Amino acid sequence: MNIEVDLHTHTVASGHAYCTISENALAASKRGLKLLGMTDHGPSMPGAPTLYHFGNLSALPQELHGVRILGGVEANITSREGELDIPLRYLAKLEVVLVGLHVYCYPGGTVEQNTSAYLKAMKNPYTDMMVHPGRPEFELDLERVAHASAELGIPVEINNSSLRADKKGAWENCRRFARFMAKYGGPVILGSDAHFSDRVGEFGFALELVTEAAIREEQVLNTSVSKVLDYLRLRRQQRTP
């Protein structure tokens, strides 16, 4: 399966990542990627950029090293009501909005509370994609998430970084989630979640799960630039009154 797009990457602006957008774009170019998301953490994450960072993303060049750049965010769910840490006036101007649960940003809760928060955030008209539901820090009803993805048409990520050897407890969750995504047929996005440039475009573990779970290639959004851009264009049309 050929992957042309990596939307989930971080730069030094996140505070706990270590490369610039130029370094990430160069790495993406060397891996043959054609589209790259700059999706640093929202401001409730310790060390994350301020809102001014997200308001100034128009300063980014549209292309670096032959790779198109999309300025966005990995927004944090901050409450059991699914609230995000980016105001609407900023979300409306971003090119791609990823949303997920993170330690330090979300208070935690039961499986039902966590799942409810995740699904409420998924239904936010400014949410483009949901990320790393298989992380063990916040247990979710993964079948409900996969069903909602198919019902709402919102891609949910298989996160390659979650599957690295230093991340404990995520493999089985992600395996179960991949099987549910195959069962319900919702759209899938693969993300490197790179915090260093040499991991941009790294999808080996995620592709292993996609193959194992028999997720169909047509479900995977980032197999082509046009699929990603067409989807993002549709999302903006859907929230226009």
Side-chain angles (χ1 to χ4, degrees), residues 22-34 64-67 197-198 200-201:
S22 184
E23 290 168 324
N24 284 355
L26 180 59
S29 178
K30 290 178 177 178
R31 284 187 179 263
L33 297 180
K34 299 177 181 178
L64 279 168
H65 305 293
V67 178
S197 61
D198 69 350
V200 171

Side-chain angles (χ1 to χ4, degrees), residues 125-137:
Y126 292 90
T127 294
D128 293 317
M129 303 168 192
M130 302 296 294
V131 298
H132 49 63
R135 292 274 178 90
E137 294 92 343

Side-chain angles (χ1 to χ4, degrees), residues 101-103 108 114 134-139 167 173:
L101 294 167
H102 296 92
V103 176
N114 297 341
R135 292 274 178 90
E137 294 92 343
F138 303 109
E139 191 176 352
K167 301 289 177 67
N173 283 349

Side-chain angles (χ1 to χ4, degrees), residues 47-196:
T50 66
L51 288 175
Y52 193 86
H53 165 89
F54 299 104
N56 196 46
L57 286 175
S58 60
L60 288 175
Q62 289 190 327
E63 186 176 293
L64 279 168
H65 305 293
V67 178
R68 182 166 176 181
I69 306 298
L70 294 183
V73 67
E74 183 183 6
N76 303 293
I77 299 171
T78 58
S79 76
R80 293 171 186 160
E81 295 305 310
E83 296 170 297
L84 306 183
D85 61 349
I86 303 283
L88 291 183
R89 67 182 183 275
Y90 289 91
L91 290 172
K93 295 179 180 179
L94 297 175
E95 293 179 286
V96 59
V97 177
L98 312 182
V99 174
L101 294 167
H102 296 92
V103 176
Y104 303 114
C105 307
Y106 173 73
T110 64
V111 174
E112 175 57 35
Q113 288 170 329
N114 297 341
T115 304
S116 176
Y118 199 82
L119 296 183
K120 286 176 180 177
M122 188 187 291
K123 293 174 183 176
N124 186 322
Y126 292 90
T127 294
D128 293 317
M129 303 168 192
M130 302 296 294
V131 298
H132 49 63
R135 292 274 178 90
E137 294 92 343
F138 303 109
E139 191 176 352
L140 298 170
D141 184 331
L142 295 172
E143 184 165 13
R144 281 179 62 194
V145 171
H147 183 268
S149 170
E151 191 173 59
L152 299 171
I154 301 296
V156 184
E157 181 189 54
I158 296 179
N159 182 283
N160 197 77
S161 179
S162 297
L163 302 170
R164 298 182 66 86
D166 56 327
K167 301 289 177 67
K168 305 299 183 183
W171 255 105
E172 190 52 41
N173 283 349
C174 292
R175 176 178 283 116
R176 288 173 50 238
F177 179 68
R179 290 171 180 166
F180 289 135
M181 290 301 285
K183 174 181 177 180
Y184 291 107
V188 172
I189 189 80
L190 306 185
S192 70
D193 200 356
H195 286 64
F196 193 79

